[in-house]
């Protein structure tokens, strides 16, 4: 036993002297005897509280005047305090078991007083039970401090929650408790398995050095709980919390510290925090994290004195917050849902987060293969409260495929009911007559990712009417010429963009303010002196909100302009299947599309195969992989989700013809909906399918996509691999690089063959807005592009588009969804750049003619290529048939009628919110039928027109309170399911599916037109595409000639060859032995790697083969779990890269050369030798193999770069740049243009 803490010793001596028990003082220093019970109790108090608490208890006892006091009275006083600690509001059925605290080692007692900077990993020891002691010692039988909550399972859904309540959870940052819960779930640890000492250690590490929390928990589980040796496999069950989460928390801490150190700024406490303040999620253990007061929204004058720079920094921090999330897995309607927690992410904030704090929300997304209908089937489950780390979460609303839960109460939280949250966002009394369906769908508007920008005063908000055609009525949406578009002053727009930390002033932005949404364009007068004001049109006002609060103040959140995204401009843009079909039906010859397709493929192939400039190739890979955006996403201190949303929006790529840019999911009619578990699901903790779309990489798997192998530097991203190798001096003569460039090219070709995304140089995709000046005549538009420097045909410098233009948008299902208009010059509109301005004159809105569009953020495809525009003829818009109108049921129940019929209005809201239609693939199903039927017949066929109108209706059905009748769906399925499918359509669908699942034709039992003659434009395009791409798909490894690719790179084998030559020249036996040691270690690593890869792939294939087989389910549970120590290839590669780095042991070397290198040079030569040998055995087996690049990526790049530098300068040292600088470097566009001109 180590020496007793001096403070405890002093307290004990005071007690002994007071009770005249001085003979017990000797027990304090006798290492052979057990400590007295009162000393053990004092150690417990000191561990759980602090010295001040123990000192106050001692003083309280000494000041007691009651006669006949004994040492037992002092022990009782300590026990009462410990009992209070274990239960806050009610007594436990059991007291804190003293044996647990007796079990704490001497090291854990010292842990409270030593420096927090010590390595927390060394504090994890295996706990041993204390042997029995005499009657002065508490019972030493081991009793668990925690137990699993089983009492509330009938009334609550328990995610991860201990029984009872404990003050251990109070004043602890939520992120720490959340990570502990994830750890317990991932490693299947029960509360009975966690001793008090381990839990306290997790809390201490989490608050002192949170980056080490993951390693501390994993090490404790492996070494202490399981008694096994720590290795890389121990980390695989749980995804590490991204570093940018901790970086974000550090920023919050700095901002909070800066605010607290300002003399005039009051310190926020849990009881006095402001709702408009961002809470500090990571505070020190004794200090409660700041919570948000739902009603207190006043701003004190003292806050206004805070330094302006600090204010701006805090504002930027509010732009992003931590999202806590999980995945819902539901196999069928009989099996209860399973919640799997996922690593938190830093993403864009929203109005709800800024009001209540992001830690009060838990986002549960549907797992791949979970049909949305299961949500309603398990409504009773989701309407029960969820218990999670002593917080009570309840269902709030649904957004897209995500259920949002809200913490109504918990330790340190102000109790806020679900109805309070609803009433704050959309006051029930003020929206009493709104239909319940609209009320439910608009509830999630406050959850849109946004930047809080300028707060408007009530008198700066002006409500104006819409402009209607002279022949139209207010009830006719097609006659509304300004639907969804308001106006904002230039001064206000400047301040809004200042909140984005940019000087650029866009012409239009999409946003939210109060209950309004849509697009706001700058005032055409360009008056920057008119002050801040915003005009909201009636069509923009979706609900009433912003009522005075209890203290009669106005909540600034409702009067703040929430910026969703800037206007969108993509130039050049692409055609897709729907556009091609409708353009062809409008008179554009098939030969035009074939010609444009061949031109596009030729441009791509020229860049890759014929261009001799590595710089041009690098730039192409960067653009194809959106690498710079990816690097920005990977930065710790950037606005992750928000900038992603803005970039995705500005890309204009919401062009999936099935969903018009809306969230979509596989069709439920497709049986593969339940079976196509993508293999990457096994390598992704998100359980979400990943395809070649860059947005899915960023949105669903960013923690994996941006990762670098920590031991070799090999990126997980294909495009990063190519770019980093090119930057290091490799070219296409390297087999591995050539194969990777081929993969990039195939990905691009895949997008053509699956979506027929064919780039048209004379086209763009831009946001559409109405003419604020009223100068454009019917059929006229105004379009000018800032990035269009020269005319595509004449090379004349011009940014404005003039002449005939075709305009359309997704979904484009009818001939009338594409219109030919005239682009004109208008001096009054020249301030509007990178948007297309539509006329407000005429009988109907041009936007409404394009598949029922409006001006609340719709993006429009514009094309001025004469080959397309000249032969095209517009068609009139056909009215909806009665058949379409009768296909839907309209919800006419108002909020007032719905809640007035029930006593529990909160439950009524929850039931309606959970019944909101989640996109289930119905839109895609109808679009498939329309596409196939249009190919078999034509777009003038009445059934094709019906299906086209159904597609347009289904896009906004939920928002309009429309629900597709089940009888309609059954009727249409019977009518259209048996239509013969063209071969190009079957091929397209198969390529969109994973190769591990059954084909589209097999699953859906459809008839394919095999060997049918070519009739339609799509038939001819498919034939041309197959012929043009045949040359690029026939190669198994590389699209480049095998003879042009060197077998071995002399630069990479040079270190090993030279080392062997040196050993032979010196006849150094020790060096020869060391080289053999290196060769054996690398060869073993390679063999083990290949073996593990084979085993992993076989087990994954076995899993995929059986997941769709009902015979492999017992009680609705899949019995063939994926049994492998690695969850992904990336983890496997990282494990063997670490083994490669650390083997052979440096203590095994004997030669003077190697020992000198290890001691004086840090083993640089040793690493080069291992990498060089790994490269040699890799290419000997397969010159296209990737093994050596997986385990020695950075070392091989360094060897190559230095070798290339040696050919240019004498010192042979390549340019040196650190990671943060390298990630932001890219080729200058002007430099690139000059290269292209000089190297045609």
């Amino acid at each position: 036993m180590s020496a007793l803490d001096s403070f405890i010793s002093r307290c004990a001596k005071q007690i002994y002297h007071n009770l005249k028990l001085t003979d017990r003082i000797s027990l304090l220093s006798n290492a052979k005897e057990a400590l007295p019970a009162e000393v053990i109790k004092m150690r417990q108090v000191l561990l759980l509280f602090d010295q001040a608490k123990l000192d106050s208890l001692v003083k309280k006892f000494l000041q007691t005047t009651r006669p006949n006091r004994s040492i037992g009275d002092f022990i009782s006083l300590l026990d009462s305090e410990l009992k209070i600690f274990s239960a806050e509001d009610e007594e436990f059925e059991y007291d804190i078991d003293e044996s647990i605290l007796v079990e704490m080692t001497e090291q854990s007692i010292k842990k409270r007083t030593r420096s927090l900077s010590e390595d927390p990993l060394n504090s994890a020891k295996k706990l041993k039970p204390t042997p029995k002691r005499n009657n002065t010692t508490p019972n030493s039988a081991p009793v668990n401090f925690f137990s699993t909550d089983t009492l509330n399972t009938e009334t609550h859904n328990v995610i991860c929650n201990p029984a009872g309540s404990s003050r251990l959870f109070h004043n602890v940052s939520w992120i720490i408790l959340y990570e502990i819960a994830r750890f317990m779930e991932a490693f299947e640890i029960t509360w009975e398995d966690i001793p008090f000492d381990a839990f306290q250690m997790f809390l201490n590490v989490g608050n002192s050095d949170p980056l080490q929390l993951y390693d501390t928990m994993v090490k404790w589980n492996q070494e202490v709980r399981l008694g096994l040796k720590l290795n890389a496999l121990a980390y695989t069950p749980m995804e590490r919390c991204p570093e940018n989460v901790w970086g974000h928390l550090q920023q919050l801490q700095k901002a909070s510290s800066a605010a607290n150190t300002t003399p005039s700024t009051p310190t926020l406490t849990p009881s006095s925090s402001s709702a408009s303040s961002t809470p500090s999620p990571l505070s020190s253990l004794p200090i409660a994290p700041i919570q948000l007061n739902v009603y207190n929204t006043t701003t004190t004058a003292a806050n206004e004195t805070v330094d302006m720079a600090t204010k701006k920094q805090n504002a930027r921090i509010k732009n992003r917050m931590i999202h806590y999330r999980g995945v819902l897995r539901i196999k069928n309607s009989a099996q209860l849902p399973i919640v799997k927690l996922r690593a938190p992410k830093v993403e864009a904030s929203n109005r709800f987060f800024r009001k209540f704090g992001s830690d009060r929300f838990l986002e549960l997304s549907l797992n791949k293969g979970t049909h949305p209908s299961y949500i309603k089937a398990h409504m009773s489950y989701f309407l029960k409260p969820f218990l999670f780390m002593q917080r009570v979460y309840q269902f709030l609303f649904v957004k897209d495929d995500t259920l949002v839960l809200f913490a109504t109460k918990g330790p340190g939280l102000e109790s806020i009911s679900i109805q309070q949250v609803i009433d704050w966002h959309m006051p029930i009394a003020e929206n009493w007559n709104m239909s319940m369906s609209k009320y439910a769908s608009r509830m999630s508007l406050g959850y849109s990712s946004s930047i809080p920008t300028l707060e408007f005063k009530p008198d700066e908000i002006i409500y104006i009417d819409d402009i209607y055609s002279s022949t139209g009525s207010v009830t006719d949406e097609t006659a509304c010429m300004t639907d969804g578009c308001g106006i904002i002053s230039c001064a206000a727009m400047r301040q809004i963009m200042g909140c984005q930390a940019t000087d650029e002033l866009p012409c239009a932005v999409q946003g939210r303010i109060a209950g309004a949404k849509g697009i706001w364009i700058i005032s055409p007068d360009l008056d920057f002196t008119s002050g801040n004001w915003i005009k909201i049109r009636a069509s923009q006002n979706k609900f009433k909100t912003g009522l005075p609060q209890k203290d009669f103040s106005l909540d600034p959140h409702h009067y703040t302009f929430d910026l969703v995204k800037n206007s969108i401009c993509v130039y050049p843009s692409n055609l897709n299947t729907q556009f091609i079909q409708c353009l062809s039906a409008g008179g554009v010859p098939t030969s035009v599309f074939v010609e444009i397709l061949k031109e596009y493929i030729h441009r791509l192939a020229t860049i890759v195969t014929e261009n001799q400039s590595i710089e041009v190739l690098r730039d192409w890979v960067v653009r194809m992989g959106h690498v710079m955006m990816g690097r920005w996403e990977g930065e710790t201190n950037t606005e992750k989700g928000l900038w992603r949303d803005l970039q995705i929006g500005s890309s204009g790529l919401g062009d999936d013809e099935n969903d018009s840019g809306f969230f979509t999911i596989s069709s439920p009619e497709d049986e593969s909906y339940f079976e196509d578990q993508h293999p990457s699901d096994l390598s992704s903790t998100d359980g979400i399918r990943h395809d070649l779309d860059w947005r899915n990489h960023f949105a669903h798997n960013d923690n994996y996509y941006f990762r670098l192998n920590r031991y070799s530097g090999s990126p997980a991203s294909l495009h990063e691999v190519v770019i980093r190798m090119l930057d290091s001096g490799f070219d296409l003569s390297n087999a591995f690089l050539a194969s990777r460039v081929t993969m990039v090219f195939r990905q691009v070709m895949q997008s053509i063959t699956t979506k027929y995304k064919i780039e048209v140089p004379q086209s763009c995709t831009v946001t559409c807005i109405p003419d604020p000046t009223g100068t454009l005549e019917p059929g006229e538009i105004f379009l000018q592009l800032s990035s269009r420097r020269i005319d595509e045909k004449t090379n004349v410098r011009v940014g404005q588009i003039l002449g005939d233009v075709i305009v359309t948008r997704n979904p484009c299902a009818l001939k009338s969804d594409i219109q030919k208009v005239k682009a004109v010059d208008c001096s009054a509109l020249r301030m509007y750049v990178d948007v297309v301005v539509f006329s407000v004159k005429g009988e109907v809105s041009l936007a409404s003619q394009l598949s029922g569009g409006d001006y609340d953020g719709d993006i429009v495809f514009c094309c001025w290529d004469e080959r397309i525009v000249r032969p095209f003829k517009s068609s009139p818009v056909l009215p909806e048939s009665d058949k379409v109108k009768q296909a839907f049921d309209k919800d006419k129940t108002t909020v007032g009628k719905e809640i007035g019929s029930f006593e529990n209005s909160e439950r009524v809201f929850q039931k309606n919110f959970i019944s909101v239609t989640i996109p289930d693939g119905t839109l895609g199903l109808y679009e498939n039928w329309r596409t196939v039927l249009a190919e078999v017949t034509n777009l003038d066929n009445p059934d094709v027109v019906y299906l086209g109108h159904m597609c347009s209706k289904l896009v906004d059905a939920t928002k309009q309170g429309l629900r597709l009748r089940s009888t309609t769906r059954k009727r249409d399925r019977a009518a259209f399911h048996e239509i013969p499918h063209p071969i190009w359509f079957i091929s397209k669908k198969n390529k969109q599916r994973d190769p591990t699942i059954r084909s589209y034709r097999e699953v859906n039992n459809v008839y394919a037109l095999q060997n049918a003659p070519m009739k339609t434009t799509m038939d001819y395009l498919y034939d041309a595409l197959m012929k043009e791409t045949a040359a690029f798909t026939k190669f198994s490894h590389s699209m480049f000639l095998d003879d042009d690719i060197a077998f071995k790179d002399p630069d990479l084998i040079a270190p090993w060859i030279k080392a062997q030559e040196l050993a032979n020249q010196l006849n150094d036996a020790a060096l020869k032995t060391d080289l053999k040691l290196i060769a054996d270690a690398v060869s073993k690593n390679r063999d083990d790697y290949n073996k593990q890869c084979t085993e992993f792939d076989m087990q994954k294939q076995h899993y995929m083969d059986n997941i769709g087989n009902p015979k492999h389910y017992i009680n609705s549970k899949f019995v063939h779990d994926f049994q492998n120590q690695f969850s992904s290839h990336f983890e496997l590669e990282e494990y063997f890269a670490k083994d490669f780095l650390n083997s052979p042991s440096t203590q095994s070397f004997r030669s003077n050369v190697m020992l000198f290198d290890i001691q004086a040079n840090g083993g640089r030569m040793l690493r080069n030798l291992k990498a060089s040998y790994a490269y040699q055995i890799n290419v000997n087996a397969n010159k296209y193999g990737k093994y050596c690049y997986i385990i020695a990526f950075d070392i091989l790049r360094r060897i190559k770069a230095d070798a290339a530098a040696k050919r240019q300068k004498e010192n042979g040292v390549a340019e040196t740049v650190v990671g943060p600088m390298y990630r932001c470097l890219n080729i200058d566009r002007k430099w690139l243009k000059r290269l292209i001109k000089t190297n045609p």
Side-chain angles (χ1 to χ4, degrees), residues 809-813 816-817 847-853 952:
R809 62 181 286 269
N810 286 310
C812 179
S816 59
D817 289 338
S848 68
Q849 297 181 61
L850 309 181
S851 188
S952 299

Side-chain angles (χ1 to χ4, degrees), residues 1097-1162:
D1097 291 336
M1098 290 178 61
Q1099 290 184 4
K1100 185 171 68 173
Q1101 186 61 48
H1102 177 72
Y1103 180 89
M1104 298 305 303
D1105 290 343
N1106 291 294
I1107 196 169
N1109 190 340
K1111 296 181 180 180
H1112 294 275
Y1113 288 83
I1114 298 178
N1115 296 326
S1116 301
K1117 184 176 181 181
F1118 187 54
V1119 295
H1120 292 282
D1121 198 5
F1122 185 67
Q1123 299 294 334
N1124 195 283
Q1125 61 266 47
F1126 304 103
S1127 63
S1128 68
H1129 270 291
F1130 187 85
E1131 289 183 359
L1132 185 153
E1133 292 164 356
E1134 198 168 56
Y1135 173 80
F1136 282 98
K1138 180 180 180 180
D1139 179 72
F1140 175 85
L1141 186 65
N1142 297 328
S1143 61
S1145 171
T1146 54
Q1147 299 177 354
S1148 305
F1149 292 103
R1150 294 292 179 266
S1151 67
N1152 293 332
V1153 174
M1154 300 305 300
L1155 293 175
F1156 176 81
D1157 173 66
I1158 294 170
Q1159 296 175 9
N1161 199 33

Side-chain angles (χ1 to χ4, degrees), residues 166-205:
S166 173
R167 292 185 65 183
L168 270 178
F169 288 74
H170 293 207
N171 303 335
V172 179
S173 301
W174 177 245
I175 182 71
I176 305 301
L177 296 178
Y178 182 85
E179 284 300 285
I180 293 175
R182 278 209 312 126
F183 162 71
M184 295 178 63
E185 178 191 78
F187 290 89
E188 300 181 349
I189 299 173
T190 65
W191 284 101
E192 290 81 1
D193 294 333
I194 297 187
F196 174 86
D197 192 42
F199 192 83
Q200 184 68 41
M201 177 180 64
F202 297 160
L203 296 183
N204 289 341
V205 173

Side-chain angles (χ1 to χ4, degrees), residues 1048-1062 1168-1169 1171-1173 1175-1176 1199 1203:
K1048 289 183 180 180
D1049 189 325
D1051 296 332
L1052 299 185
I1053 64 174
W1056 182 256
I1057 298 298
K1058 291 181 179 179
Q1060 288 183 314
E1061 292 175 351
L1062 178 64
N1168 286 354
L1169 291 176
S1172 180
Y1173 184 74
Y1175 171 78
Q1176 181 167 309
I1199 295 173

Side-chain angles (χ1 to χ4, degrees), residues 5-24:
D5 183 87
S6 59
F7 181 76
I8 295 178
S9 178
R10 180 173 63 83
C11 292
K13 290 177 181 179
Q14 288 179 333
I15 298 295
Y16 294 156
H17 282 294
N18 184 270
L19 296 177
K20 298 180 180 180
L21 299 174
T22 54
D23 57 318
R24 297 176 70 86

Side-chain angles (χ1 to χ4, degrees), residues 657-659 664-671 920-933 947 950-951 954 964 968-970 972-974 976-977 979 981 985 989 1000 1004 1006:
E657 51 265 31
N658 288 345
D659 65 353
T664 188
I665 199 166
S666 301
S667 170
E669 302 293 340
D670 185 345
E671 295 176 12
D920 59 358
T922 302
L923 173 59
L925 183 66
Y926 273 82
E927 171 54 27
N928 288 343
W929 290 340
R930 187 209 66 83
T931 301
V932 172
L933 185 60
L947 292 173
M950 288 293 292
C951 291
L954 284 167
L964 183 67
T968 300
R969 182 173 179 142
K970 291 179 181 178
D972 291 342
R973 177 172 175 78
F976 304 119
H977 183 68
I979 303 173
H981 286 50
F985 186 84
K989 289 296 181 181
Y1000 176 85
N1004 292 277
V1006 296

Side-chain angles (χ1 to χ4, degrees), residues 607 613-625 723 726 1226-1229 1232 1236:
I607 293 174
S613 173
I614 291 297
E615 293 85 354
V616 174
L617 175 62
R618 184 193 190 278
D619 176 75
W620 178 77
V621 176
V622 168
R623 288 187 290 108
M624 293 301 102
I723 292 167
L726 291 174
N1226 198 17
I1227 298 178
D1228 180 73
R1229 302 299 300 176
L1232 191 67
I1236 295 175

